[in-house]
Amino acid sequence: MTNRFEKVISMEEALTHFRDGMTLMSGGFGGVGNPPSLIQGILDKGVREITLVSNDTAFPHIGIGKLVTEKRVKKVIASHIGSNPNAGAQMTAGELEVEFCPQGILAERVRAGGVGLGGILSDVGIGTIAEKGKQKVVVGDKEYLLETPLTAEVSIIHAKKADRYGNLVYDTSARNFNPLVAMAGDITIVEADEIVEIGELSPEEIVTPGVFINFIVQSEGVNWRWAWEK
């Protein structure tokens, strides 16, 4: 890329960064904030054996849930999977490995990965099954679990607006996990509803600075019916 301030690429070029067996991280919450066109592109390319890091597995035919439904995911690290019965069925059948993580801890693990921390300390889960396999650390007279950072080969996020450097504005609650996920990918690709010129976004409205963004693609819009729509 000749101009480091120009990060807009085609969907075809974006899809060259996805491969079988990859670790993929996605922003979003129940599908809100999931990038629809990138997810569809991953499906169309036939990428499989994905390790997915996401707050949840959305719904069967919404957002990141599509990848689970189509059995493209071999492992998921999430706070819950209850809204997607396909995820639960696959887990029960031994077809999907699931690592559960409390939502706040999950967010902090992603943030830790994004800012380069070696992990975070938490007392959540002490004395329960949640401490299995985790290192314990004593600080003062209190015991904590070491929660390791999360990163991904590719992070995919969805923004309302992006300028051509990748400064981002999100649509209300679609902000959710997207700013954290943006920081934690070796490569971060944003799908934007609207792409504007550099300087058109007010510095006061920018949530994610472009330094975290590698590539930008134009969104084709949501291609599913939301669970609350009739």
Side-chain angles (χ1 to χ4, degrees), residues 56-104:
D56 52 74
T57 50
F59 295 85
H61 301 292
I62 291 176
I64 213 74
K66 291 182 172 184
L67 295 178
V68 175
T69 295
E70 295 297 322
K71 298 187 176 181
R72 305 298 182 84
V73 179
K74 68 176 182 179
K75 177 179 179 179
V76 62
I77 302 173
S79 68
H80 72 92
I81 62 171
S83 58
N84 190 340
N86 293 326
Q90 290 174 32
M91 180 183 70
T92 302
E95 299 170 342
L96 177 67
E97 180 183 353
V98 179
E99 178 183 332
F100 288 108
C101 183
Q103 190 173 83

Side-chain angles (χ1 to χ4, degrees), residues 163-203:
D163 69 18
R164 291 182 174 271
Y165 184 59
N167 296 308
L168 305 180
V169 176
Y170 300 98
D171 183 12
T172 57
S173 63
R175 177 172 175 171
N176 49 57
F177 271 71
N178 275 299
L180 298 175
V181 169
M183 299 191 296
D186 294 339
I187 295 173
T188 296
I189 304 174
V190 58
E191 175 180 330
D193 292 332
E194 182 180 356
I195 301 172
V196 302
E197 297 301 321
I198 295 174
E200 288 191 34
L201 297 179
S202 166

Side-chain angles (χ1 to χ4, degrees), residues 20-230:
D20 290 352
M22 72 179 300
T23 302
L24 177 71
M25 190 179 291
S26 176
F29 185 110
V32 177
N34 284 170
S37 303
L38 283 169
I39 291 169
Q40 189 60 51
I42 292 169
L43 283 167
D44 293 344
K45 186 176 179 180
V47 180
R48 298 182 177 276
E49 297 293 302
I50 296 168
T51 294
L52 174 66
V53 182
S54 180
N55 175 65
D56 52 74
T57 50
F59 295 85
H61 301 292
I62 291 176
I64 213 74
K66 291 182 172 184
L67 295 178
V68 175
T69 295
E70 295 297 322
K71 298 187 176 181
R72 305 298 182 84
V73 179
K74 68 176 182 179
K75 177 179 179 179
V76 62
I77 302 173
S79 68
H80 72 92
I81 62 171
S83 58
N84 190 340
N86 293 326
Q90 290 174 32
M91 180 183 70
T92 302
E95 299 170 342
L96 177 67
E97 180 183 353
V98 179
E99 178 183 332
F100 288 108
C101 183
Q103 190 173 83
I105 301 300
L106 180 66
E108 283 297 288
R109 291 178 69 190
V110 173
R111 186 186 68 84
V115 299
L117 297 179
I120 63 167
L121 300 181
S122 170
D123 62 358
V124 175
I126 289 283
T128 74
I129 193 174
E131 69 177 31
K132 183 179 179 180
K134 296 179 181 178
Q135 181 180 342
K136 293 183 179 179
V137 177
V138 176
V139 179
D141 59 354
K142 190 169 183 179
E143 191 174 52
Y144 297 90
L145 298 178
L146 174 63
E147 299 283 359
T148 54
L150 291 171
T151 58
E153 293 169 72
V154 180
S155 284
I156 56 173
I157 61 175
H158 189 195
K160 181 180 181 180
K161 290 184 181 180
D163 69 18
R164 291 182 174 271
Y165 184 59
N167 296 308
L168 305 180
V169 176
Y170 300 98
D171 183 12
T172 57
S173 63
R175 177 172 175 171
N176 49 57
F177 271 71
N178 275 299
L180 298 175
V181 169
M183 299 191 296
D186 294 339
I187 295 173
T188 296
I189 304 174
V190 58
E191 175 180 330
D193 292 332
E194 182 180 356
I195 301 172
V196 302
E197 297 301 321
I198 295 174
E200 288 191 34
L201 297 179
S202 166
E204 298 301 321
E205 65 179 332
I206 293 169
V207 177
T208 295
V211 68
F212 292 114
I213 306 302
N214 297 97
F215 302 111
I216 307 161
V217 296
Q218 176 65 55
S219 179
E220 297 178 3
V222 169
N223 57 355
W224 57 72
R225 183 183 295 273
W226 291 107
W228 56 82
E229 292 180 330
K230 294 183 179 180

